[in-house]
Amino acid sequence: MADLKCTVENCTYNKDKLCSKGDIMVGGKNACSCQETCCESFARAKEDSFKSALDHPSKQISIDCEAGHCVYNSNYKCLAEHVDINGCGACDCHETSCATFTEK
């Protein structure tokens, strides 16, 4: 499990830069840079949406990862100790990225 900091504040799972989803998926199968990755678990928050899941955000989270060219990817699991997910103002998952991505 990684120590996650998420700056995608308009994601329904984000509360105080922590994630309440429990696990996330980082996409970018052929990514060679962090800009080519994304948080596939992103769900845009709506003002009238049900948000009770946000009562339990966690700093530690399980991260599945499709970014096969990342040094932290081991059999589709992220082994980084700390992960930053970025995407201020994102409207869909392709406007997010894994800032921790490091090419092999």
Side-chain angles (χ1 to χ4, degrees):
M1 303 245 295
D3 177 22
L4 178 74
K5 178 182 174 189
C6 179
T7 60
V8 188
E9 293 179 357
N10 59 326
C11 179
T12 195
Y13 302 115
N14 186 311
K15 183 173 183 183
D16 300 324
K17 298 184 179 172
L18 300 177
C19 185
S20 64
K21 186 169 185 307
D23 62 349
I24 63 169
M25 170 63 81
V26 171
K29 184 176 180 179
N30 297 311
C32 293
S33 69
C34 65
Q35 293 83 7
E36 295 174 339
T37 65
C38 68
C39 179
E40 291 187 356
S41 301
F42 170 84
R44 187 173 179 187
K46 297 178 179 144
E47 286 187 37
D48 60 346
S49 66
F50 185 67
K51 295 186 180 183
S52 68
L54 294 177
D55 292 338
H56 300 97
S58 179
K59 187 173 184 179
Q60 295 285 315
I61 192 166
S62 176
I63 302 173
D64 293 330
C65 181
E66 293 179 336
H69 299 292
C70 182
V71 297
Y72 300 113
N73 184 324
S74 177
N75 201 26
Y76 295 98
K77 294 287 185 186
C78 179
L79 300 181
E81 289 183 23
H82 178 84
V83 173
D84 289 313
I85 300 293
N86 295 335
C88 183
C91 292
D92 67 45
C93 72
H94 293 83
E95 295 176 342
T96 66
S97 65
C98 176
T100 306
F101 175 92
T102 303
E103 189 175 17
K104 290 181 185 177

